[in-house]
């Protein structure tokens, strides 16, 4: 592969190295159930999203305490653009609030914030705030928080295929030499380790267009809790379940 497609996080971690931890190195979470949490209380959906933003703090604390190095949160899917304009505006407003009020603390705590997804669909002001938050935390390596925003895995894979075709057409990529590692380097997650564990709250058992490529060998844990009620104890329970799994990556049982 040419240097044009070098992994942007290569300096942060060695994704291919075996994790020295007993637990997962990378946890990804599909945060689901904000709307149901709100409606069960007779509250507007935005109240559920606000409470969901509080649960984000608890998830980060729990992940760090458990020695997880990468946490990816599915905060806004490409399909979420189909929601009513008022809800989209509530969600982007919350995101803006989160960036303004939490990034300083993330930066102080050694957290690097990385955004994946099609940020061009957000307004110019929010795009600038996202870029500023990433730049402000870019040198941190203690913990990587990846926010999937306006993210859709099929979009991501199509964009990577398009890029590969462009490089081949330009003569910088030999199609015959394109392998899994080379293709992964064209994805938004280039340089990141694949998630070891994917959690989804709210009792739904779906991937919903999240990290389709990267989830190839992930373990899945589905939690019967609505996201705003997510507590450190749920994270601990998920890690305990993960510890009981026997990950063979397709190899024969030993
Ligand atoms: C799913 O609940 C959640 C979302 C669509 C958005 C996730 C947003 C947050 C956790 C809050 C904002 C986060 C940050 C980082 C500022 P849902 O609305 O689909 O719930 P439902 O399935 O019960 O309707």
């Amino acid at each position: 592969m040419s240097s044009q497609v070098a992994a942007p996080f290569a300096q942060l971690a060695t994704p291919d190295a075996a994790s020295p931890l007993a637990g997962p190195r990378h946890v990804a979470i599909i945060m689901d159930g904000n709307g149901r949490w709100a409606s069960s209380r007779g509250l507007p959906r935005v109240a559920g999203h606000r409470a969901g933003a509080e649960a984000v703090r608890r998830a980060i604390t729990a992940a760090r305490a458990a020695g997880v190095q990468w946490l990816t949160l599915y905060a806004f899917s490409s399909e979420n653009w189909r929601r009513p304009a008022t809800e989209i505006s509530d969600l982007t407003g919350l995101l803006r609030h989160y960036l303004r009020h939490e990034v300083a603390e993330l930066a102080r705590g050694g957290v690097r914030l990385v955004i994946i997804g099609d940020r061009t669909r957000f307004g110019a002001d929010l795009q600038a705030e996202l870029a500023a938050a990433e730049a402000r935390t870019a040198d941190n390596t203690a913990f990587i928080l990846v926010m999937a925003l306006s993210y859709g895995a099929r979009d991501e894979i199509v964009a990577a295929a398009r890029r590969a075709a462009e490089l081949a057409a330009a003569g910088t990529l030999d199609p015959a030499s394109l392998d899994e590692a080379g293709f992964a380097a064209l994805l938004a997650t280039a340089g990141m380790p694949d998630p070891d564990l994917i959690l989804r709250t709210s009792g739904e058992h779906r991937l919903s267009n999240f990290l389709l490529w990267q989830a190839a060998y992930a373990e899945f844990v589905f939690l019967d809790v609505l996201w705003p009620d997510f507590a450190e104890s749920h994270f601990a329970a998920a890690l305990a379940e993960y510890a009981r799994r026997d990950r063979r990556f397709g190899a024969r049982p030993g």
Side-chain angles (χ1 to χ4, degrees):
M1 291 249 96
S2 82
S3 59
Q4 294 174 55
V5 293
F9 304 104
Q11 75 279 15
L12 287 183
T14 48
D16 297 326
S19 171
L21 304 167
R25 179 160 63 147
H26 183 176
V27 176
I29 308 183
I30 302 172
M31 308 181 289
D32 194 16
N34 294 352
R36 277 163 283 169
W37 182 92
S39 60
S40 71
R41 286 165 174 73
L43 298 170
R45 291 179 64 84
V46 66
H49 296 316
R50 272 195 213 110
E54 287 301 314
V56 166
R57 284 167 149 269
R58 296 193 290 276
I60 294 170
T61 304
R64 294 199 72 170
V68 170
Q69 294 171 309
W70 296 74
L71 179 68
T72 297
L73 300 176
Y74 202 8
F76 193 99
S77 74
S78 45
E79 288 73 28
N80 287 156
W81 289 111
R82 296 188 202 132
R83 293 194 177 193
T86 49
E87 186 169 351
I88 290 171
S89 154
D90 288 338
L91 281 166
T92 53
L94 257 178
L95 179 60
R96 196 174 282 108
H97 185 269
Y98 185 87
L99 292 170
R100 288 184 187 157
H101 292 86
E102 305 283 335
V103 169
E105 194 183 326
L106 294 178
R108 270 196 303 277
V111 178
R112 178 171 183 178
L113 178 67
V114 175
I115 311 297
I116 58 171
D118 181 8
R119 66 180 80 193
T120 64
R121 296 185 71 179
F122 293 115
D125 58 334
L126 187 48
Q127 288 184 52
E129 293 196 44
L130 290 169
E134 286 181 305
R136 182 167 179 186
T137 61
D139 294 332
N140 291 342
T141 56
F143 184 82
I144 318 293
L145 175 63
V146 183
M147 288 262 192
L149 294 171
S150 188
Y151 173 86
R154 287 183 170 180
D155 274 356
E156 179 192 30
I157 292 168
V158 169
R162 188 183 305 117
R163 182 79 184 122
E166 286 166 358
L167 291 169
T172 28
L173 169 69
D174 171 10
S177 73
L178 184 63
D179 57 10
E180 287 187 16
F183 191 75
L186 297 169
L187 295 169
T189 53
M192 302 182 190
D194 285 343
D196 302 293
L197 172 62
I198 297 182
L199 308 183
R200 181 170 189 146
T201 58
S202 92
E204 307 284 356
H205 296 191
R206 283 189 295 277
L207 203 42
S208 298
N209 202 16
F210 185 49
L211 300 179
L212 297 182
W213 169 280
Q214 299 84 347
Y217 283 100
E219 296 293 329
F220 290 84
V221 172
F222 300 100
L223 296 165
D224 250 329
V225 61
L226 299 175
W227 177 250
D229 288 328
F230 183 84
E232 294 185 36
S233 58
H234 297 108
F235 198 82
L239 292 193
E241 171 61 30
Y242 175 86
R244 287 192 285 274
R245 304 275 173 91
D246 179 19
R247 301 187 78 200
R248 294 189 298 277
F249 298 94
R252 275 188 300 145

Coordinates of all heavy atoms in Angstrom, one line a residue, residues 102-133:
E102 N -17.1 18.6 28.4 CA -16.4 17.4 28.8 C -15.0 17.3 28.2 O -14.2 16.6 28.8 CB -17.2 16.2 28.4 CG -18.6 16.1 28.8 CD -18.8 15.7 30.3 OE1 -17.9 15.1 30.8 OE2 -19.8 16.1 30.9
V103 N -14.7 18.0 27.2 CA -13.4 17.8 26.5 C -12.2 18.2 27.3 O -11.2 17.5 27.4 CB -13.4 18.4 25.1 CG1 -12.0 18.4 24.5 CG2 -14.3 17.7 24.2
A104 N -12.4 19.3 28.1 CA -11.3 19.7 28.9 C -10.9 18.6 29.9 O -9.7 18.3 30.2 CB -11.6 21.0 29.7
E105 N -12.0 18.0 30.5 CA -11.7 16.9 31.5 C -11.1 15.7 30.8 O -10.2 15.0 31.3 CB -13.0 16.5 32.2 CG -12.8 15.7 33.4 CD -14.1 15.3 34.1 OE1 -15.1 16.0 34.0 OE2 -14.2 14.1 34.6
L106 N -11.6 15.4 29.6 CA -11.0 14.2 28.8 C -9.6 14.5 28.6 O -8.7 13.6 28.8 CB -11.7 14.0 27.5 CG -13.2 13.6 27.5 CD1 -13.8 13.5 26.1 CD2 -13.4 12.3 28.3
A107 N -9.3 15.7 28.2 CA -7.9 16.1 27.9 C -7.0 15.9 29.1 O -5.9 15.4 29.0 CB -7.8 17.5 27.3
R108 N -7.5 16.5 30.2 CA -6.7 16.4 31.5 C -6.5 14.9 31.9 O -5.4 14.6 32.5 CB -7.5 17.1 32.6 CG -7.1 18.5 32.8 CD -7.6 19.1 34.1 NE -9.0 18.9 34.4 CZ -10.0 19.7 33.9 NH1 -9.7 20.7 33.2 NH2 -11.2 19.4 34.2
G109 N -7.5 14.1 31.6 CA -7.4 12.7 32.0 C -6.6 11.8 31.0 O -6.6 10.6 31.2
G110 N -6.0 12.4 30.0 CA -5.1 11.6 29.1 C -5.9 10.9 28.1 O -5.5 9.9 27.4
V111 N -7.2 11.3 27.8 CA -8.0 10.7 26.8 C -7.8 11.3 25.5 O -7.9 12.5 25.3 CB -9.5 10.8 27.2 CG1 -10.4 10.1 26.2 CG2 -9.7 10.2 28.6
R112 N -7.7 10.5 24.5 CA -7.7 11.0 23.1 C -9.1 10.7 22.5 O -9.6 9.6 22.6 CB -6.7 10.2 22.2 CG -6.7 10.7 20.8 CD -5.6 10.2 19.9 NE -5.7 10.7 18.6 CZ -4.9 10.5 17.6 NH1 -3.8 9.7 17.8 NH2 -5.0 11.0 16.4
L113 N -9.7 11.8 22.0 CA -11.0 11.7 21.3 C -10.8 11.5 19.8 O -10.1 12.4 19.2 CB -11.9 12.9 21.7 CG -13.3 12.9 21.0 CD1 -14.2 11.8 21.6 CD2 -13.9 14.3 21.3
V114 N -11.5 10.5 19.3 CA -11.4 10.3 17.8 C -12.8 10.2 17.3 O -13.6 9.5 17.9 CB -10.6 9.0 17.5 CG1 -10.6 8.7 16.0 CG2 -9.1 9.1 18.0
I115 N -13.1 10.8 16.2 CA -14.5 10.7 15.6 C -14.4 9.9 14.4 O -13.5 10.1 13.5 CB -15.0 12.2 15.2 CG1 -14.8 13.2 16.4 CG2 -16.4 12.1 14.7 CD1 -15.6 12.8 17.6
I116 N -15.3 9.0 14.2 CA -15.5 8.3 12.9 C -16.9 8.5 12.4 O -17.8 8.7 13.2 CB -15.2 6.8 13.0 CG1 -16.1 6.1 14.1 CG2 -13.7 6.5 13.3 CD1 -16.0 4.5 14.0
G117 N -17.1 8.5 11.1 CA -18.4 8.8 10.5 C -18.3 9.9 9.6 O -17.3 10.6 9.5
D118 N -19.5 10.2 8.9 CA -19.5 11.2 7.9 C -19.8 12.6 8.6 O -21.0 13.0 8.6 CB -20.5 10.9 6.9 CG -20.6 11.9 5.8 OD1 -19.7 12.9 5.8 OD2 -21.5 11.8 4.9
R119 N -18.8 13.2 9.1 CA -19.0 14.5 9.8 C -19.5 15.6 8.9 O -19.9 16.6 9.4 CB -17.8 14.9 10.6 CG -16.6 15.2 9.8 CD -15.4 15.6 10.6 NE -14.7 14.4 11.1 CZ -13.8 14.4 12.1 NH1 -13.5 15.5 12.7 NH2 -13.2 13.3 12.5
T120 N -19.3 15.4 7.6 CA -19.7 16.5 6.7 C -21.2 16.8 6.7 O -21.6 17.8 6.2 CB -19.2 16.2 5.2 OG1 -20.0 15.1 4.8 CG2 -17.7 16.0 5.1
R121 N -21.9 15.9 7.3 CA -23.4 16.1 7.3 C -23.8 17.0 8.5 O -24.9 17.4 8.6 CB -24.1 14.7 7.4 CG -23.9 13.9 6.1 CD -24.7 12.7 6.1 NE -26.2 12.9 6.0 CZ -27.1 12.0 5.9 NH1 -26.7 10.7 6.0 NH2 -28.4 12.3 5.8
F122 N -22.9 17.2 9.4 CA -23.1 18.2 10.5 C -22.9 19.6 10.0 O -22.1 19.8 9.0 CB -22.3 17.9 11.7 CG -22.6 16.6 12.4 CD1 -21.6 15.5 12.4 CD2 -23.8 16.3 13.0 CE1 -21.9 14.3 13.0 CE2 -24.1 15.1 13.6 CZ -23.1 14.1 13.6
G123 N -23.4 20.6 10.7 CA -23.2 22.0 10.4 C -21.7 22.3 10.5 O -20.9 21.7 11.2
A124 N -21.3 23.4 9.8 CA -19.9 23.8 9.8 C -19.4 24.1 11.3 O -18.2 23.7 11.6 CB -19.7 25.0 9.0
D125 N -20.2 24.7 12.1 CA -19.8 25.0 13.5 C -19.5 23.7 14.3 O -18.5 23.6 14.9 CB -20.8 25.9 14.2 CG -22.2 25.2 14.2 OD1 -22.5 24.3 13.4 OD2 -23.0 25.5 15.2
L126 N -20.4 22.7 14.2 CA -20.2 21.5 14.9 C -18.9 20.7 14.3 O -18.1 20.2 15.1 CB -21.4 20.6 14.8 CG -21.4 19.4 15.7 CD1 -21.0 19.6 17.1 CD2 -22.8 18.7 15.7
Q127 N -18.8 20.8 13.0 CA -17.6 20.1 12.4 C -16.3 20.8 13.0 O -15.3 20.1 13.3 CB -17.6 20.3 10.9 CG -18.6 19.4 10.2 CD -18.5 19.5 8.7 OE1 -17.4 19.4 8.1 NE2 -19.6 19.8 8.0
A128 N -16.3 22.1 13.1 CA -15.2 22.8 13.7 C -14.9 22.4 15.1 O -13.8 22.2 15.5 CB -15.3 24.3 13.5
E129 N -16.0 22.2 15.9 CA -15.8 21.9 17.3 C -15.3 20.4 17.4 O -14.5 20.1 18.3 CB -17.2 22.0 18.1 CG -17.5 23.5 18.2 CD -18.6 23.8 19.2 OE1 -18.5 23.2 20.3 OE2 -19.5 24.5 18.9
L130 N -15.8 19.6 16.5 CA -15.3 18.2 16.5 C -13.8 18.2 16.2 O -13.0 17.5 16.9 CB -16.0 17.3 15.5 CG -17.5 17.0 15.8 CD1 -18.2 16.4 14.6 CD2 -17.6 16.1 17.0
A131 N -13.4 18.9 15.2 CA -12.0 19.0 14.8 C -11.1 19.5 16.0 O -10.0 19.0 16.2 CB -11.8 19.8 13.5
A132 N -11.7 20.6 16.6 CA -10.9 21.2 17.7 C -10.7 20.2 18.9 O -9.7 20.1 19.5 CB -11.6 22.5 18.2
A133 N -11.8 19.5 19.2 CA -11.7 18.5 20.3 C -10.7 17.4 20.0 O -9.9 17.0 20.8 CB -13.1 17.9 20.5

